[in-house]
Amino acid sequence: MRTLISTAFISLDGVVEAPGGEPGYRNAGWTFKDIEFLPEAFEIKGREQQEATAMLMGRTSYEAFSPVWPDMEDFADYKVMPKYVVSTTLTEDDLVSNWGETTILRSLDEVAELKKTEGGPIIVHGSASLNQALADADLIDRYHLLVFPVLLGAGKRLFSTTDKDKQQLKLVEHEAYANGLQKNVFDVVR
C-alpha cells in the first residue's frame, strides 16, 4: 500500500488558503509577508520532491499550479513524476501538455485504488477540499505541516469540520526555527 502524504503551509489557526499569493483571498501570500526566510525551515519541501513518486491534487490546485510549476526550477522533480487530479468536471482537454503524465480520477474510490498500486509515496499539495475529503475517508497516512506564526481568521482550512470519531496522530518529526515556523510531521494512527 502506498503512503498518501498531505503537505501544507498552514497558519496557526488552520488556514491553508493562498499561501503563495493566489488571487481571490484577502490574505494571499501570507507565507512571504513579515516572516524571515530561513532555508533550513523549508528543507522538507526538497525532501518531499525526492521521496514522492506521484502527486495528487484537486482541480482548483491543478488549475493554479499547472500554468506555473512546470517551468519552475524549484519544482523540477515534480515535472517528471505522474500526477493525478481528482475532479468530476475536469476533462483531458483541460490538462496542460508540458507537465508530464497526468491522470484524472473521478472519485475517492479511485484514490483508494491508486493507493493499492505498487510504488512509493503520493504527495498532496494544496487542495484544501480534497484534503478534507481524503481525511474523512481515512485515506491520508501522514501530514507534513509547516506551521506559520500567524492567525488568519477566515479562509480555507486543512482539516474537516465533519462530526466524526477522533483520529489519533503520532508526531514523528518536529523542529522549531528562529523565524517562528514549526515543522510537524505526523503519522495517522490506525
Side-chain angles (χ1 to χ4, degrees):
M1 176 94 53
R2 297 173 83 170
T3 302
L4 188 61
I5 301 169
S6 170
T7 183
F9 292 153
I10 186 169
S11 70
L12 190 58
D13 57 346
V15 175
V16 294
E17 186 168 1
E22 298 81 358
Y25 176 58
R26 72 182 180 105
N27 288 319
W30 53 269
T31 57
F32 304 113
K33 295 177 184 172
D34 304 318
I35 297 175
E36 177 189 2
F37 177 77
L38 295 178
E40 61 271 22
F42 297 90
E43 171 274 335
I44 193 169
K45 305 318 277 174
R47 188 170 17 128
E48 288 170 350
Q49 285 189 67
Q50 296 300 310
E51 294 174 358
T53 59
M55 187 179 350
L56 179 72
M57 65 201 99
R59 179 195 51 82
T60 302
S61 290
Y62 177 80
E63 289 175 342
F65 299 157
S66 65
V68 181
W69 282 25
D71 297 322
M72 289 183 70
E73 188 62 35
D74 288 344
F75 302 115
D77 291 328
Y78 286 136
K79 186 169 184 169
V80 296
M81 74 176 57
K83 283 159 276 312
Y84 298 88
V85 183
V86 181
S87 174
T88 58
T89 58
L90 206 63
T91 68
E92 294 291 328
D93 290 340
D94 296 321
L95 301 178
V96 298
S97 60
N98 64 334
W99 205 19
E101 175 190 345
T102 304
T103 303
I104 299 171
L105 304 177
R106 298 293 183 198
S107 68
L108 294 181
D109 289 338
E110 290 185 44
V111 174
E113 289 303 313
L114 174 63
K115 283 187 63 176
K116 293 177 186 175
T117 63
E118 292 293 319
I122 303 165
I123 195 97
V124 182
H125 281 280
S127 310
S129 298
L130 176 61
N131 264 288
Q132 292 176 7
L134 292 167
D136 287 348
D138 196 28
L139 293 172
I140 295 177
D141 301 297
R142 175 174 274 204
Y143 290 95
H144 289 181
L145 305 177
L146 276 180
V147 183
F148 284 71
V150 62
L151 301 173
L152 296 173
K156 292 179 185 175
R157 306 206 178 256
L158 181 64
F159 300 107
S160 168
T161 58
T162 301
D163 186 10
K164 59 184 178 185
D165 290 339
K166 175 180 76 169
Q167 185 171 50
Q168 192 70 36
L169 304 175
K170 178 182 178 186
L171 184 65
V172 295
E173 184 181 341
H174 63 90
E175 193 159 350
Y177 302 96
N179 61 359
L181 264 69
Q182 296 177 28
K183 172 179 63 182
N184 294 306
V185 177
F186 294 99
D187 280 344
V188 174
V189 176
R190 292 194 171 88

